[in-house]
Amino acid sequence: MKLFVGALAVALLAGCATSPVPSDKARQAPSERVSGYQKPVPGGSSLIVTRDTGFLGGGCFATIFLNGAPVAKLDTGEKAVFLVPSGEWLLGAALDGSALCAANPERRKRPGF
């Protein structure tokens, strides 16, 4: 019985795992969910944000922020390409939605892009 309970616990934890998605394998997010930095910029670069796959947060969109402004909503396995001018950028993400999605941690930010 203990073995069965242990195996069940491991299976449930594995179901919550996420898997990274290579950028070339990720689906492009629909244009209605990508709202910023879509026009080419002279001397600029491409910033590609890819969301992993898996059960954890899978029912919620991940809102992507650039310099504090929301610019995309990504589903699991999707990516968005942003055309940004050179310089330093603050990239943030937060799971968005109601019910269990609203119980997620606050926005995560990463400077230096």
Side-chain angles (χ1 to χ4, degrees), residues 87-98:
E88 193 167 309
W89 290 86
L90 181 64
L91 177 65
L95 292 179
D96 191 23
S98 58

Side-chain angles (χ1 to χ4, degrees), residues 4-99:
F4 175 73
V5 171
L8 181 62
V10 169
L12 288 174
L13 288 175
C16 293
T18 61
S19 302
V21 177
S23 182
D24 60 330
K25 303 277 190 237
R27 301 178 316 275
Q28 180 64 42
S31 59
E32 62 267 10
R33 287 195 273 116
V34 180
S35 59
Y37 301 99
Q38 296 300 295
K39 294 183 181 174
V41 177
S45 298
S46 296
L47 172 64
I48 302 172
V49 178
T50 306
R51 184 170 176 197
D52 59 0
T53 61
F55 179 75
L56 190 61
C60 311
F61 284 115
T63 301
I64 307 302
F65 300 86
L66 285 177
N67 288 346
V71 292
K73 288 186 183 285
L74 299 181
D75 203 352
T76 57
E78 288 184 339
K79 70 178 175 183
V81 179
F82 304 102
L83 306 173
V84 296
S86 62
E88 193 167 309
W89 290 86
L90 181 64
L91 177 65
L95 292 179
D96 191 23
S98 58

